[in-house]
Every structure is written in C-alpha cells, then in structure tokens.
C-alpha cells in the first residue's frame, strides 16, 4: 500500500513594517514543530524575511536583527526626494552583500514576492530574476521608499493590493497555506497623541542625524492646543500616516482572506509597535513564536507534524 503523499505546504508572510521581524519567530517555531514549508512567498517585510529563509540564511539574519539598535536603523536611511523619503540603496546593498545576493531561481525553496504597479494598480508577482530587486519592489511603501522600475512598470509595496499573499502561494502549488497576518490587532490600538522620543543611545549625528531631527520636528504635533470638552487632540503627521496605512492594510487583508482563505492563520499581536520600530526585534521574534504556540492544535487538525 502506497504511503500517503505529504501535501505541499505554502507559507504566506504578510506585510507590516517593523512587525515583520515576528516572521522570524514564526518560521523557527514551525520548523521546530516539524512543519517545513515547501513554498514561501511574501509581501513587503514578509518578502524580505521569506527570501532570507529561502536562501538558507535565517539563522544569521536573526542574529543581525537582534543586534539592531535605533542608531543602526538610522544609518541605513539614505535621503531621497524622488518618489520617496528614502532611496533604499544603502539597505539593499547590505542585504545583497550579506544575505540574498542571488537569483530567485537559485534559492533552495520556491519563492515569490508581491508588488503593485503604480500606473494601473495591478498586482505583480515576482518569481524570477534578482532576489534583491524583488524584495526592493515589494517593500517600496509609498512616501517612504522610492518606487522601483521593472519591465516597463513602476512598482510599489505589494501591501496595497495583497497584504498576505495566499493567492500567490496557491498559484505556486501550495495545497495547505499557512498565512501570517500582522494586522489582526492594529485597530485595537489608539492613535498616539505625541511622537515618542528615540532611545537615549540613539542620538544620531552627521547628515542623516540632522535629517532625522528635522523629520521628527516635521512629524511632531503642532503647538499644543486646547480642544473643546470631549474633543480629541489632533495627532502628529506620522501618527496620521501610520494609522491610515494600518486601516488600509486591515481592510484589504480581511477582504482578500475572506475570498481566498488559508488553512491556518497565525496572528502575532504587535499592533503597539511603530512603523519604524525595527530596533525592537527581540520582542517581535518572541511574539512570532508565541503566536505559533497557540496554533499548534490547528496543526494537528490539518494532519501536519507537531513536535
């Protein structure tokens, strides 16, 4: 009698800026439970972590992100005024040199990334060519990173159309899709009324530091106002932008996954993290592990290994 064939497992990693470091903990916990994805795809930060995993570099990458401090994040910020505040070249050069400097076809695990065509709103699946170019297009959050030219298109963040790419995992042959949704608790967190100060150790210097200082001043709330009774204080520009992105991501994610449901949703609860809190990796990674631990019973129901 023939042994039952193992279903192909696809991992769909969602977008969510700094919350995306939780994908590292999710993948590690799944592997420790005996669940090894056959396919991995991602949107935005999910595209980056997914590429690192597919390249076999997750352990080294985790060590690097755990060492990140606020000043390290600032050091990767290269000023750009053409389509976005950041060019992203410095960050991508580092990733190319240390983690994902190869072609998608050369990766050990089938991989895909999602981007959005700015001219048409079309969803674009990147499944061949340079890994770093696919990641760079997928993370091009409008206003923050400048767009990317690709095959006659101008590409921006895939989260605009498909924040958790279940459909791409299916198209790549996944029979069981495990989706990691980083937006599940975003709307339960109130908009802050003031911009937090950076860590004391992070006082930046040089041109980037001056730029960041001016950026913080621009994003800080205006002169304190005295609102009418029961009227909220207006938030800063940064908080308005962040909250707007969060609302968009939550609504699109719910709509897409209602029409394209995965077999399992893992939902790290990191709505309290800010858009650029990349220096809080340890917290995010551990939450990713916790989110998997509460889903272990679902792995049994799907007939997947569990420890």
């Amino acid at each position: 009698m023939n042994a039952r064939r193992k279903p192909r497992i696809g991992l769909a990693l969602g977008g969510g800026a700094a919350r995306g470091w939780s994908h590292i903990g999710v993948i590690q916990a799944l592997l420790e439970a005996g669940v090894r994805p056959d396919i991995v795809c991602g949107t935005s930060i999910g595209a980056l972590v997914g590429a690192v995993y597919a390249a076999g570099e997750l352990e080294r990458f985790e060590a690097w992100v755990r060492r990140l401090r606020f000043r390290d994040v600032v050091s990767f910020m290269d000023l750009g005024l053409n389509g976005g505040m950041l060019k992203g070249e410095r960050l991508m050069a580092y990733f190319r040199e240390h983690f994902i400097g190869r072609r998608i076809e050369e990766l050990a695990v089938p991989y895909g990334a999602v981007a959005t065509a700015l001219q048409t709103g079309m969803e674009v699946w990147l499944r061949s060519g340079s890994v770093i170019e696919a990641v760079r297009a997928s993370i091009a959050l409008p206003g923050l990173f400048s767009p990317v030219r690709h095959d006659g298109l101008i590409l921006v963040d895939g989260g605009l159309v498909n924040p958790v790419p279940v459909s791409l995992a299916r198209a790549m042959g996944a029979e069981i899709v495990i989706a990691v949704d980083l937006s599940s608790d975003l709307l339960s967190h109130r908009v802050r009324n003031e911009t937090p100060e950076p860590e004391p150790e992070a006082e930046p210097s040089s041109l980037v530091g001056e730029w960041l200082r001016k950026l913080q001043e621009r994003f800080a709330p205006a002169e304190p106002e005295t609102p009418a009774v029961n009227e909220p204080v207006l938030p800063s520009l940064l908080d308005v932008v962040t909250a707007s992105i969060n609302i968009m991501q939550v609504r699109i994610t719910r709509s897409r996954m209602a029409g394209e449901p995965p077999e399992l949703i893992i939902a790290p609860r990191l709505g309290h993290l800010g858009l650029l809190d990349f220096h809080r990796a340890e917290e995010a990674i551990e939450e990713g592990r916790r989110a998997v631990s509460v889903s272990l019973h679902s792995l049994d129901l799907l007939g997947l290994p569990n420890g």
Side-chain angles (χ1 to χ4, degrees):
M1 185 175 181
N2 292 333
R4 182 182 177 185
R5 182 180 66 85
K6 173 182 173 293
R8 298 191 77 195
I9 301 171
L11 186 60
L13 303 177
R19 300 187 301 277
W21 292 155
S22 63
H23 289 317
I24 298 171
V26 168
I27 294 172
Q28 291 173 332
L30 288 174
L31 293 175
E32 290 166 6
V35 179
R36 184 169 294 275
D38 302 293
I39 294 162
V40 63
C41 55
T43 294
S44 197
I45 190 69
L48 170 60
V49 177
V52 171
Y53 167 70
E57 297 287 357
L58 191 65
E59 185 175 343
R60 286 200 312 115
F61 189 73
E62 180 199 6
W64 178 73
V65 302
R66 282 185 181 272
R67 293 194 302 268
L68 276 179
R69 296 296 177 263
F70 183 79
R71 62 167 169 260
D72 301 318
V73 176
V74 171
S75 72
F76 284 111
M77 294 181 177
D78 45 2
L79 306 181
L81 299 176
N82 188 14
M85 291 188 295
L86 304 176
K87 292 182 288 186
E89 295 172 1
R90 189 176 300 162
L91 182 63
M92 291 300 110
Y94 185 89
F95 288 150
R96 179 185 291 110
E97 179 180 354
H98 293 89
F99 300 112
I100 48 177
R102 62 191 75 176
R103 294 180 63 80
I104 292 175
E105 296 87 341
E106 299 169 347
L107 297 176
V109 178
Y111 167 81
V114 178
T116 304
L118 190 60
Q119 305 102 310
T120 64
M122 179 177 65
E123 181 176 336
V124 178
W125 292 349
L126 302 167
R127 297 178 53 186
S128 62
S130 166
V131 175
I132 202 71
E133 290 180 10
V135 170
R136 176 64 183 84
S138 190
I139 69 170
L141 186 65
L144 184 62
F145 283 107
S146 56
V148 174
R149 293 185 179 91
H150 176 82
D151 288 347
L153 298 173
I154 299 175
L155 301 183
V156 294
D157 196 307
L160 297 179
V161 291
N162 197 352
V164 186
V166 175
S167 55
L168 175 53
R170 298 263 189 234
M172 293 174 66
E175 296 162 295
I176 291 178
V177 177
I178 300 173
V180 185
D181 176 15
L182 303 181
S183 67
S184 64
D185 67 330
L186 285 183
L187 299 187
S188 65
H189 290 267
R190 299 171 60 186
V191 175
R192 295 172 300 186
N193 287 328
E194 58 183 46
T195 304
E197 294 296 322
E199 297 175 335
E201 65 165 331
E203 283 300 326
S205 58
S206 75
L207 175 63
V208 173
E210 179 65 13
W211 172 79
L212 184 65
R213 183 185 64 77
K214 292 179 179 179
L215 190 64
Q216 288 172 330
E217 290 176 356
R218 177 73 62 85
F219 283 167
E223 288 297 319
E225 58 177 44
T226 304
V229 177
N230 297 325
E231 287 291 327
V233 176
L234 289 178
S236 70
L237 174 58
L238 180 59
D239 284 337
V240 170
V241 170
T242 300
S244 300
I245 292 171
N246 289 345
I247 292 168
M248 176 192 72
Q249 183 172 0
V250 169
R251 299 304 183 192
I252 296 173
T253 298
R254 290 177 181 175
S255 176
R256 290 297 300 254
M257 288 207 293
E260 303 159 346
E263 278 65 37
L264 175 62
I265 299 174
I266 296 173
R269 301 185 65 81
L270 290 165
H272 60 284
L273 288 192
L275 192 70
L276 300 177
D277 283 346
F278 291 102
H279 55 292
R280 299 174 66 176
E282 184 170 354
E283 180 181 351
I285 292 170
E286 294 311 311
E287 173 56 19
R289 285 182 164 276
R290 187 207 64 80
V292 172
S293 71
V294 301
S295 302
L296 290 180
H297 69 286
S298 298
L299 298 178
D300 290 331
L301 294 176
L302 292 173
L304 298 178
N306 180 358

